[in-house]
Amino acid sequence: MGSHRRPKQPSRARVTVLTATAAAAVALTSQAAHADPKPTKSEVKAKVDKLYHEAEVATEKANGAKEQQDKLKKQADALQDKVARGQDELNTLRGQLGSLATAQYRSGGLDPSVQLLLSSDPDSFLDQASALDQLSAKQADSLEKIQAKQRALAQQRKEAQGKLTALAEVRETLNENKKKSQGKLAAAQKLLNTLTAAERAKMAEDDRRAANRAAGERAGAGNKTSSSSSSSGEQVDLGNEVPASALGAAALQAAHTQVGKPYGRMGTGPSSYDCSGLTQWAYAQAGAQITRTTFTQINQGTRIARSQLKPGDLVFFSNTSHVGLYAGNNTVLHAPYPGTYVRYESMNTIGAYQTAVRI
């Protein structure tokens, strides 16, 4: 006789697990359907370029804070040295006053008329009294000097403390902008990591091609016709424009010798550069000291129109966050951004032109 047992029903726990699994699968499928598509290489590049720009702004602010920090530290150190020397002088004056007071005390405390009556040698006593009057005058002079020195020291200490307070604030600003720049660069790297190895290699190759110099490039800055790689790898004619001054020509020639050196955040050479670090270094080699940041370099020299550009002039882009040296024929020599090298590049591919300055 065959068995007619009823099929075993699944346990409540098993039903719950199956239901949860099915729900999770549906949720994952729904999420996958609505997930943001992976950004294209061009979208990644645009976002990375924006982050590099923001990092460069923060870097220039950090450069300014670093320059200010160095200046304040020198001033604070000088004031502290001055205070230390002043304290030594004050201690010397106090010692002199102490000697005078001791001499006065030892002269005796008797009334002068009584001392005269008791003196066996009145003439000698009168000579001593005269010396005592002179001693008192010296004492008064010493007191005046001490008071003046104390006032001067108090003022110098106040100035030194003000410099030290400002120095602490500037250091905080410097660290904040360093962190901000590092954060932007880290975000850019994270975006780059979303690309495949082949896509990243292609972008790197584009940068390498942009940094390479073509055969037969000029031997000097602004005095020969030559060509150079643009940001897209195409050749850009540097023309035959004449620098406005020997200073500009020398600065451009100095920067020319650094082509191929890597971009370095807050770099001032000679191993790496950021944009304003390169321009400052180039002009220093030419014998002119200019300030450290784009925000201050733009206020040096003479403002000129774009149509007046000559080789060696400073050209500013993107709300003063970037600077390069004009090289001729709408081309600049500059340190672009992290991962690139000092190179010639068409002004059309760098960013929004702002203004130009002739040092």
Side-chain angles (χ1 to χ4, degrees):
M1 184 173 178
S3 173
H4 296 284
R5 292 178 181 178
R6 297 174 63 186
K8 186 177 180 180
Q9 296 297 319
S11 68
R12 178 175 295 179
R14 186 162 180 264
V15 170
T16 301
V17 170
L18 290 172
T19 302
T21 302
V26 171
L28 289 172
T29 303
S30 176
Q31 289 176 3
H34 293 88
D36 292 334
K38 179 182 176 180
T40 65
K41 188 175 75 169
S42 60
E43 289 173 336
V44 168
K45 187 176 187 314
K47 290 179 180 179
V48 166
D49 287 346
K50 183 174 183 293
L51 286 167
Y52 279 157
H53 166 66
E54 292 170 350
E56 192 166 42
V57 171
T59 296
E60 286 301 310
K61 289 180 179 179
N63 288 338
K66 177 67 167 60
E67 185 178 43
Q68 190 177 3
Q69 173 188 265
D70 294 344
K71 183 178 179 180
L72 283 170
K73 189 174 186 309
K74 287 181 181 178
Q75 292 173 343
D77 288 346
L79 280 169
Q80 288 177 318
D81 288 343
K82 193 172 182 180
V83 166
R85 290 193 303 271
Q87 187 63 55
D88 288 341
E89 293 171 4
L90 180 59
N91 292 339
T92 299
L93 288 171
R94 283 173 172 166
Q96 292 171 353
L97 180 61
S99 298
L100 292 171
T102 300
Q104 187 181 46
Y105 175 76
R106 287 175 179 173
S107 68
L110 292 176
D111 183 86
S113 61
V114 176
Q115 291 187 45
L116 179 59
L117 289 171
L118 296 177
S119 175
S120 60
D121 186 355
D123 290 337
S124 176
F125 173 78
L126 291 173
D127 289 341
Q128 292 175 6
S130 176
L132 183 60
D133 289 340
Q134 294 175 7
L135 189 65
S136 299
K138 288 181 180 178
Q139 186 179 25
D141 183 60
S142 294
L143 282 170
E144 290 178 1
K145 288 181 179 179
I146 286 173
Q147 290 172 343
K149 181 59 67 176
Q150 286 176 328
R151 287 193 295 269
L153 276 175
Q155 181 60 33
Q156 289 164 5
R157 286 194 176 99
K158 183 178 180 181
E159 290 178 17
Q161 186 56 51
K163 296 294 182 185
L164 291 172
T165 300
L167 180 58
E169 293 173 353
V170 166
R171 279 176 175 160
E172 185 176 347
T173 301
L174 173 60
N175 291 332
E176 287 176 358
N177 281 292
K178 277 185 176 180
K179 289 179 182 178
K180 188 177 293 184
S181 177
Q182 290 167 348
K184 297 295 183 181
L185 294 177
Q189 187 58 54
K190 185 176 180 180
L191 272 173
L192 288 172
N193 290 341
T194 64
L195 299 176
T196 65
E199 288 171 331
R200 290 196 300 271
K202 178 64 169 61
M203 289 180 68
E205 178 61 24
D206 288 344
D207 281 335
R208 279 193 293 271
R209 289 175 59 197
N212 289 337
R213 303 297 310 281
E217 288 180 350
R218 66 183 179 181
N223 56 12
K224 289 185 180 180
T225 300
S226 62
S227 61
S228 176
S229 297
S230 71
S231 61
S232 61
E234 64 184 5
Q235 297 303 303
V236 177
D237 182 10
L238 295 173
N240 193 31
E241 299 177 38
V242 179
S245 67
L247 178 61
L252 183 57
Q253 174 58 34
H256 172 77
T257 66
Q258 302 304 294
V259 168
K261 295 285 184 73
Y263 177 96
R265 188 172 62 89
M266 300 185 75
T268 56
S271 58
S272 66
Y273 301 89
D274 62 19
C275 66
S276 58
L278 175 65
T279 52
Q280 184 189 47
W281 180 89
Y283 267 95
Q285 306 316 300
Q289 299 300 319
I290 64 174
T291 52
R292 175 64 182 92
T293 73
T294 56
F295 307 124
T296 53
Q297 288 180 8
I298 198 171
N299 294 319
Q300 296 186 264
T302 304
R303 293 283 183 99
I304 56 174
R306 185 167 183 170
S307 60
Q308 297 174 302
L309 279 170
K310 295 292 183 182
D313 292 338
L314 298 182
V315 188
F316 296 85
F317 301 88
S318 306
N319 294 323
T320 324
S321 66
H322 190 73
V323 65
L325 292 103
Y326 185 70
N329 198 26
N330 200 45
T331 303
V332 296
L333 176 54
H334 68 147
Y337 49 82
T340 60
Y341 303 84
V342 175
R343 69 190 185 198
Y344 291 91
E345 187 170 349
S346 169
M347 288 171 60
N348 298 334
T349 61
I350 294 174
Y353 172 87
Q354 184 169 353
T355 191
V357 167
R358 181 165 298 154
I359 301 298

